Amino acid sequence: MKIKELLTAGIGTIMIAASIGFALLVTGCSSGEESLQSPDGRLSLTTGLKDGRAWYTLKRDGKTIASSSSLGFKLQDGSLKEGLKLNAARHDSFDETWVQPWGEEIEVRNHYNELTLELQEAEGKQRKMDIVFRLFNDGLGFRYNFPEQENLKEFVIMDEETEYTFPTDARSWSIPTNTTYYEALFTPEPLSQKDTVSTPVTMEVADDLYLVLHEANLTDYACMNLTPVQKENAPEGSVTVRTALTPWSTGEKVFASAPFATPWRTIIVADKPGDLILSRLMLNLNEPCRIEDTSWIEPGRYIGIWWAIHMNNYTWCQGPKHGATTENTMRYIDFAAKHNFSGVLVEGWNYGWDGDWSLYGHLFDFCKPYPDYDLEKLAEYARQKGVRLIAHNETGGAARNYEQQLDSAFALYQRLGINSVKTGYVNALMDHKELQHSQYGVRHYRKVIETAAKYGIMIDNHEPAMPTGLQRTYPNLMTQEGVRGQEWNAWSTDGGNPPEHTCTLPFTRGLAGPMDFTPGIFNFSNPVLPETHPHTTLAKQLALYVVLFSPLQMAADMIENYENQPAFSFITSCPTTWAKTVVPNAKIGEYVTIARRDRHSSNWFIGSITDAEPRTIEVSLDFLEPGASYKATFYEDGEGADYRTNPYPVKITEKEVNSDTTLTLQLAPGGGAAVRIEKI
Ligand code: NOJ
Ligand code: CA
């Protein structure tokens, strides 16, 4: 960053010195306090040592957000948290703007002030540990660094004891850690009443204070979970949650070797729910892109031989109802070409599905197609039509079997022009033993992403470890599941996802990264389980294309259900990567409106959704270019639409609008509205 920019940004001389590489050293202050401010001065962090233990506090506008919270580890070789001294404190600052190959906006500003505490045990082994704090305008990130040193080489983390103490309890959304594949409904309870939960945890502290606890850049580590703890001498009314890392089957949490850095622990701080969606703190705390040429990475829409399998019309395995046949796939390719979809997902194309495929030890072959699926011919047919097959790689949790085939499978796909793979790990454990969100799982997923990058392959990962912003470094990691998605509306015996679910996701799981939720069901009848179907109107299915961000976005229904449906034109016109995002209004779990501008035109798209309550939503179009005229096409809940009784009516209308226009959208119970705004 240039010095002039720093001055205009109002940053004092000290920071200028720091930003151009002169660290400020503070030595010999073993019990002193250090402080740090966000670039806009609203957030302030104080940290230091008390009785040899590291702690931090966080304030906004002088008011406490996190009161004194302690830091440290239990290692196999004794704890690393007590008896510490401060060797030095270094300040630094940073400001750059980087470009996303795809995303919710093009440019991201990475602007923070940094403080590093260099700590060391005063006695005994005298092991060293640094804690790095970065304060952004939208929150805090901090991580532990274990520098190279004599008395700490290979080491085992038994527990990370990072704590977050809040002065008051808060309504908080999360899912329990023991949820399989994170496929659960986020429910709001007071933070103090939670069991051990996965992050993100989204807290509504006050009308003007929202916090999200999560992590960034999860590399060779275990996923973070949080658990409430009772602290002795805790201030009246305060609540403390402590990190609970996902363990290996043998109980250890992380095997490490110095030099070693943990993922960043993050607290997003926002005045209103919509600002949570605009925070780029997690991406900023990941490493810059490691893929030199990203031109082959192509966001897009896809359809698939998929919903019909979940509805029991087809099977994954061979037999009379096999879905992945050559003929059927050609039908899907034709449809994709006609309606401008870039990909066709085909599930059940390869050997391994016969018998109970989710049993332990069941092994898939990722190169060998079933006899009724002519892979070579289909790849060529797709190529001629300008469409690509998406290979499905269900592993049944057999990660090692998959790793053994990664190179040969990805080389085959590359030769055939297949540039995306949907991976899956349906099994309670990986390789009979380890949790998906353990260090074992995290290592496996990284290997898949890195190998895929070598072969020019994009990844859509199902049954993942919780995303942490890795797509900045590896933008071929397009989208992931780890969410209770649309498939639950096919077979869940509880009837499917309730209307508030998609009004909660943008503020919870959606903050961890793109979701392969797979919207777009048009036919709600379910012969097998009549009570199970989307609890939305059809217009709300359309609005989800804007509300739920994913650079690979599926139109999930069977293609026959899109024939002669005027509402389908919203899906086929809606981009999957954006130049800009705004959130005109939102209340977590109740309603949300998101507007996004296309990357390749001046067109805007709006999605507005509600829970079970009907609502009138006003949306000011002040984000449009002043003075310009636009044609708006509305896809709204039609006469009598109601998710319980009559989900289908969609009213499609047009009107001229400009930046002075305020739209009034009528959302039915469980309804939504989708709007396309094209510059005239
Ligand atoms: C679970 C995935 O989420 C779903 O999309 C897929 O069809 C099945 N596993 C089978 O792999
Ligand atoms: Ca799933």
Side-chain angles (χ1 to χ4, degrees):
M1 176 185 191
K2 295 194 194 82
I3 291 185
K4 199 172 133 231
E5 287 167 10
L6 275 168
L7 285 171
T8 47
I11 296 165
T13 2
I14 293 171
M15 284 310 172
I16 294 171
S19 76
I20 52 176
F22 301 98
L24 276 184
L25 289 183
V26 181
T27 44
C29 52
S30 57
S31 61
E33 285 186 11
E34 291 294 323
S35 60
L36 183 68
Q37 298 231 311
S38 59
D40 66 1
R42 287 191 70 194
L43 298 179
S44 59
L45 173 110
T46 309
T47 177
L49 294 176
K50 186 166 176 245
D51 302 330
R53 254 200 107 157
W55 57 272
Y56 69 96
T57 65
L58 182 64
K59 292 186 175 167
R60 186 187 64 180
D61 302 330
K63 275 177 70 181
T64 300
I65 291 178
S67 34
S68 182
S69 305
S70 53
L71 300 162
F73 289 90
K74 190 168 141 205
L75 303 184
Q76 202 167 49
D77 204 9
S79 67
L80 183 46
K81 62 182 179 206
E82 276 138 8
L84 298 173
K85 63 174 181 172
L86 179 64
N87 286 339
R90 280 185 283 126
H91 284 262
D92 206 343
S93 72
F94 190 76
D95 189 0
E96 67 161 14
T97 296
W98 57 280
V99 169
Q100 301 197 83
W102 51 262
E104 291 171 273
E105 61 202 358
I106 297 174
E107 292 191 336
V108 177
R109 186 166 178 197
N110 183 12
H111 189 194
Y112 60 82
N113 293 327
E114 183 179 277
L115 167 64
T116 304
L117 299 184
E118 292 185 5
L119 304 172
Q120 184 173 19
E121 289 170 312
E123 312 277 334
K125 296 202 179 101
Q126 304 192 342
R127 293 169 298 186
K128 292 181 199 157
M129 173 176 81
D130 301 344
I131 306 176
V132 186
F133 297 93
R134 285 187 185 169
L135 211 43
F136 302 78
N137 291 343
D138 53 346
L140 169 68
F142 61 92
R143 80 180 336 173
Y144 303 88
N145 274 339
F146 301 89
E148 195 172 345
Q149 55 193 293
E150 219 20 69
N151 288 339
L152 189 71
K153 291 197 167 359
E154 310 268 295
F155 63 104
V156 182
I157 297 174
M158 300 306 288
D159 277 307
E160 181 186 319
E161 300 189 351
T162 304
E163 291 183 353
Y164 306 81
T165 296
F166 301 101
T168 56
D169 214 347
R171 189 167 185 238
S172 307
W173 286 260
S174 62
I175 54 172
T177 297
N178 59 13
T179 307
T180 321
Y181 322 133
Y182 307 111
E183 295 184 16
L185 302 172
F186 281 78
T187 53
E189 293 95 20
L191 187 63
S192 63
Q193 304 305 305
K194 299 280 180 184
D195 200 344
T196 304
V197 295
S198 302
T199 60
V201 174
T202 302
M203 301 167 61
E204 186 177 54
V205 182
D207 282 352
D208 66 347
L209 181 59
Y210 293 82
L211 305 178
V212 176
L213 312 178
H214 188 40
E215 60 180 324
N217 190 357
L218 174 57
T219 299
D220 202 9
Y221 206 77
C223 280
M224 180 167 113
N225 311 288
L226 293 170
T227 195
V229 289
Q230 292 297 332
K231 297 276 289 181
E232 268 175 48
N233 309 324
E236 176 88 23
S238 69
V239 178
T240 299
V241 289
R242 183 183 293 159
T243 304
L245 299 176
T246 300
W248 286 74
S249 54
T250 40
E252 301 88 348
K253 304 294 171 13
V254 174
F255 293 90
S257 140
F260 184 82
T262 69
W264 294 92
R265 278 59 194 96
T266 57
I267 307 179
I268 302 175
V269 181
D271 298 345
K272 49 185 200 294
D275 290 349
L276 297 174
I277 294 171
L278 304 181
S279 168
R280 302 291 166 245
L281 181 134
M282 184 186 65
L283 287 174
N284 279 329
L285 288 168
N286 274 270
E287 306 285 323
C289 182
R290 289 201 191 140
I291 300 176
E292 220 166 280
D293 171 15
T294 57
S295 59
W296 55 271
I297 298 172
E298 297 169 342
R301 289 182 292 272
Y302 72 100
I303 52 171
I305 298 181
W306 181 75
W307 184 251
I309 310 179
H310 284 265
M311 295 293 286
N312 277 327
N313 294 6
Y314 296 149
T315 59
W316 281 287
C317 65
Q318 300 184 85
K321 293 207 300 182
H322 188 211
T325 65
T326 304
E327 197 193 346
N328 212 10
T329 307
M330 286 170 85
R331 215 163 54 85
Y332 269 73
I333 293 170
D334 290 343
F335 185 90
K338 182 167 164 206
H339 295 285
N340 211 8
F341 284 81
S342 54
V344 173
L345 167 73
V346 186
E347 299 209 353
W349 65 276
N350 61 320
Y351 272 91
W353 293 93
D354 311 279
D356 188 349
W357 58 271
S358 62
L359 280 184
Y360 291 128
H362 197 90
L363 299 182
F364 285 85
D365 187 320
F366 303 102
C367 296
K368 194 172 167 203
Y370 279 137
D372 55 351
Y373 186 80
D374 191 336
L375 177 63
E376 301 268 343
K377 177 175 156 185
L378 285 166
E380 176 54 22
Y381 186 70
R383 197 189 59 75
Q384 283 168 14
K385 297 249 166 177
V387 174
R388 291 182 195 259
L389 294 173
I390 299 174
H392 183 223
N393 287 180
E394 173 58 61
T395 67
R400 218 170 311 142
N401 173 53
Y402 191 34
E403 287 185 18
Q404 281 158 6
Q405 298 181 53
L406 274 183
D407 280 286
S408 50
F410 289 176
L412 170 69
Y413 305 156
Q414 189 179 39
R415 177 173 69 74
L416 295 174
I418 296 174
N419 69 350
S420 47
V421 171
K422 170 177 168 179
T423 50
Y425 298 86
V426 174
N427 214 310
L429 297 170
M430 273 185 169
D431 291 333
H432 306 203
K433 218 157 130 195
E434 306 296 345
L435 291 160
Q436 274 87 344
H437 42 107
S438 66
Q439 186 182 22
Y440 185 85
V442 168
R443 283 178 177 168
H444 169 76
Y445 296 121
R446 182 64 61 93
K447 184 164 188 170
V448 174
I449 297 160
E450 288 180 353
T451 310
K454 278 200 307 202
Y455 291 95
I457 284 173
M458 299 178 272
I459 294 292
D460 166 7
N461 184 27
H462 280 227
E463 295 82 51
M466 185 57 79
T468 62
L470 210 62
Q471 70 270 26
R472 178 177 178 195
T473 316
Y474 295 103
N476 65 317
L477 173 59
M478 306 300 284
T479 188
Q480 306 198 65
E481 201 191 31
V483 62
R484 190 176 144 135
Q486 184 89 271
E487 62 183 9
W488 286 70
N489 296 328
W491 40 250
S492 177
T493 49
D494 64 7
N497 301 326
E500 66 275 14
H501 183 48
T502 42
C503 300
T504 308
L505 287 178
F507 309 97
T508 53
R509 162 63 183 83
L511 300 175
M515 285 179 287
D516 194 31
F517 182 87
T518 69
I521 296 306
F522 273 32
N523 181 349
F524 295 7
S525 80
N526 186 341
V528 179
L529 282 177
E531 297 305 315
T532 299
H533 51 78
H535 294 271
T536 71
T537 62
L538 201 150
K540 183 171 173 179
Q541 289 289 319
L542 301 180
L544 295 178
Y545 284 87
V546 185
V547 170
L548 305 177
F549 170 63
S550 180
L552 294 181
Q553 192 74 282
M554 188 177 200
D557 212 331
M558 301 168 223
I559 51 177
E560 41 276 32
N561 292 333
Y562 295 129
E563 295 289 1
N564 305 317
Q565 288 274 7
F568 188 51
S569 60
F570 184 79
I571 299 178
T572 58
S573 67
C574 187
T576 64
T577 178
W578 307 97
K580 191 171 162 56
T581 292
V582 296
V583 187
N585 52 61
K587 185 146 174 45
I588 303 177
E590 297 184 18
Y591 61 89
V592 54
T593 305
I594 301 186
R596 306 191 196 260
R597 182 158 60 80
D598 181 20
R599 282 204 170 198
H600 307 292
S601 70
S602 308
N603 300 344
W604 284 80
F605 292 76
I606 300 176
S608 184
I609 59 171
T610 178
D611 58 3
E613 288 298 309
R615 281 174 218 278
T616 304
I617 299 281
E618 307 249 293
V619 186
S620 158
L621 300 186
D622 55 5
F623 46 81
L624 296 180
E625 189 188 315
S629 295
Y630 295 81
K631 180 182 90 175
T633 308
F634 298 82
Y635 299 73
E636 292 179 274
D637 290 319
E639 186 71 36
D642 186 317
Y643 80 99
R644 290 159 298 198
T645 51
N646 188 17
Y648 296 115
V650 178
K651 185 174 74 188
I652 305 178
T653 55
E654 283 178 11
K655 149 174 154 189
E656 200 172 314
V657 298
N658 58 44
S659 63
D660 294 329
T661 310
T662 296
L663 303 180
T664 304
L665 303 172
Q666 301 291 352
L667 311 185
V675 188
R676 179 176 59 247
I677 303 178
E678 296 158 283
K679 200 163 168 191
I680 299 172

